[in-house]
Amino acid sequence: MASSNFMIVILLLLPSLIFSPPAETRTIFLPTVKNPASGLHTAHFHHPSSPLLVDLNGPFLYNTCRNHSALHFPSCRSTACALAGGRWRLCWNSTPRCSVGIDNPLTGTMFSGELAENAFSVLVLDQHEHCCVRGEMENFLFLCSPPYLQGIAGFSDTPTALPRQIAAYFGFRPEFSLCLVSEANGGGGTFFGRIPPELRFPELMYYAPLSIGERGQYMIPVTSIIVNYKKIPSRAPFWAQFSTTAKYPILERSIFKTLTESFANEMSGTPRAPAIPPFGPCYQTRFLPPTRVGTPNIELMVNGTVKWVIFGVDALIRLRPNVSCLGFVDGGNGSKTAAMTIGLSLLEEKLLHFDLARSTIGFAESRLSQRFRCSAFNYPN
């Protein structure tokens, strides 16, 4: 996969990004909430106060700019514009300001926004790792989005997304830990920098190689899929991409077909229900085992050695009052870069540690072995 030396370009921005950060800062906390209507997650800054959609693959933070007089707009010839725009930079003769074209992660359509700098307020854990004091990030780069679009917080591995900008400003290495809740209106969060003590269980975390796509998206190599302790035939190895804007995991059609057939064979004694595309297969909920025992588990083998365990009862989602379906979506021919998208139903209530400096990702083998739920902690915001 393509990988860029982001530290070199970040150094070019240090004079504008670094502005007397507290020397003791080790962790920044960004609260997140699950929206009951959309099922997606929003991040909440002290300033700006409007909620921003969490986009793990987003290259920018972008938000509606209401008070233009308080903003600084880098010019088209600035280092910031060259860094932010890349091949999507848009410069018009009618204005010296830097505009950047970007894809809307929910619709796939492209829009343009002006590159701007402003102060952002965040929550900082003190030197004793207690939450929280308010911290300011001066001259934070973001895009002014059209007023009809919801603001988005981008978490990808690009110089202009949150992880690299926050790490450069506060002077710690680029890493963040994502812990999203499964309950609507529940509080989870993202920790930039060091993992706080109440979530720090190194003996439970397994680490696998983390690859970065050419647009900064996070990917892991899946070498095999196991259903009920049986390896299924598939075109593995393949790349799996993480996404916080896809509600469910998405599989390239040939992998989807093999997985669903194998799962259905292991569930052959359970009464079926009519299929609900693009999911499959579906079952009558009242006949399903009430616990994790009795429903086949699905295991993703990452890099040949690390297991991502999906309990069968977690893999089944209730779509109608008495109908539960295997919560994987037929993605057709898949994308050019990834045969699998790991969506929110597999990410929620699971701590994910993205260590960008070491190009690794850490996670517990299963939700059961994690010992805590992301909703168990709730820092004030």
Side-chain angles (χ1 to χ4, degrees):
M1 304 304 301
S3 178
S4 300
N5 190 343
F6 289 119
M7 292 310 297
I8 293 177
V9 289
I10 278 294
L11 288 173
L12 297 175
L13 283 186
L14 286 181
S16 62
L17 289 178
I18 296 182
F19 185 81
S20 301
E24 69 277 7
T25 299
R26 296 181 180 179
T27 306
I28 302 299
F29 174 62
L30 183 62
T32 61
V33 173
K34 183 172 182 177
N35 185 291
S38 67
L40 303 178
H41 295 257
T42 53
H44 297 257
F45 288 85
H46 261 296
H47 173 77
S49 58
S50 56
L52 305 174
L53 177 70
V54 174
D55 181 10
L56 199 54
N57 297 315
F60 291 94
L61 185 152
Y62 51 99
N63 197 24
T64 302
C65 298
R66 294 182 175 86
N67 185 11
H68 281 237
S69 62
L71 305 178
H72 172 255
F73 294 92
S75 71
C76 262
R77 295 185 178 182
S78 66
T79 301
C81 185
L83 177 66
R87 63 182 180 219
W88 299 283
R89 180 172 50 168
L90 306 171
C91 288
W92 316 108
N93 293 330
S94 57
T95 175
R97 293 178 179 177
C98 175
S99 293
V100 179
I102 190 170
D103 292 328
N104 185 317
L106 301 181
T107 64
T109 57
M110 178 174 275
F111 68 93
S112 64
E114 288 186 332
L115 186 67
E117 292 180 345
N118 198 8
F120 279 68
S121 299
V122 293
L123 297 176
V124 180
L125 273 65
D126 63 23
Q127 64 267 36
H128 304 293
E129 299 185 296
H130 298 152
C131 187
C132 284
V133 295
R134 181 173 168 177
E136 293 282 340
M137 294 189 298
E138 300 288 339
N139 303 323
F140 190 88
L141 282 172
F142 70 104
L143 288 185
C144 289
S145 62
Y148 56 85
L149 287 180
Q150 178 186 6
I152 294 181
F155 284 73
S156 70
D157 190 8
T158 57
T160 49
L162 284 169
R164 293 279 178 180
Q165 284 211 67
I166 290 176
Y169 181 86
F170 287 100
F172 48 66
R173 69 182 199 161
E175 59 180 323
F176 68 97
S177 300
L178 189 69
C179 211
L180 301 175
V181 299
S182 58
E183 299 172 359
N185 292 318
T190 303
F191 299 90
F192 298 91
R194 188 173 179 179
I195 301 175
E198 57 266 46
L199 302 179
R200 203 180 298 149
F201 296 96
E203 70 278 9
L204 301 178
M205 299 289 282
Y206 293 86
Y207 283 83
L210 181 67
S211 292
I212 308 301
E214 43 181 46
R215 294 196 175 189
Q217 66 268 41
Y218 302 108
M219 312 180 79
I220 54 175
V222 176
T223 50
S224 62
I225 302 176
I226 298 170
V227 176
N228 207 23
Y229 309 105
K230 302 170 186 174
K231 183 177 178 179
I232 68 171
S234 68
R235 67 175 187 87
F238 57 82
W239 291 103
Q241 173 180 309
F242 294 95
S243 174
T244 52
T245 56
K247 294 183 184 179
Y248 307 103
I250 304 170
L251 291 171
E252 183 269 329
R253 180 159 293 159
S254 66
I255 303 173
F256 174 84
K257 187 169 185 262
T258 304
L259 174 64
T260 54
E261 288 176 353
S262 299
F263 189 88
N265 289 337
E266 299 296 328
M267 292 279 288
S268 58
T270 304
R272 297 279 288 267
I276 303 178
F279 303 96
C282 297
Y283 302 91
Q284 297 180 43
T285 303
R286 66 178 182 272
F287 293 109
L288 294 174
T291 65
R292 288 184 172 89
V293 178
T295 308
N297 295 340
I298 299 171
E299 300 173 10
L300 304 178
M301 293 302 299
V302 182
N303 202 40
T305 57
V306 179
K307 286 194 295 186
W308 182 306
V309 179
I310 308 162
F311 290 114
V313 68
D314 294 330
L316 292 167
I317 56 172
R318 183 171 294 193
L319 296 177
R320 292 175 183 166
N322 190 39
V323 177
S324 295
C325 302
L326 182 62
F328 287 77
V329 172
D330 182 353
N333 294 328
S335 71
K336 294 180 181 179
T337 55
M340 178 179 185
T341 298
I342 301 176
L344 280 172
S345 65
L346 300 185
L347 301 181
E348 291 171 342
E349 303 298 347
K350 196 175 183 76
L351 179 69
L352 300 172
H353 177 210
F354 294 83
D355 191 334
L356 308 187
R358 295 178 178 171
S359 298
T360 60
I361 181 170
F363 48 84
E365 186 176 83
S366 69
R367 287 171 177 163
L368 186 63
S369 65
Q370 187 170 266
R371 293 188 187 172
F372 62 86
R373 292 174 63 85
C374 294
S375 53
F377 69 92
N378 189 16
Y379 288 160
N381 56 23

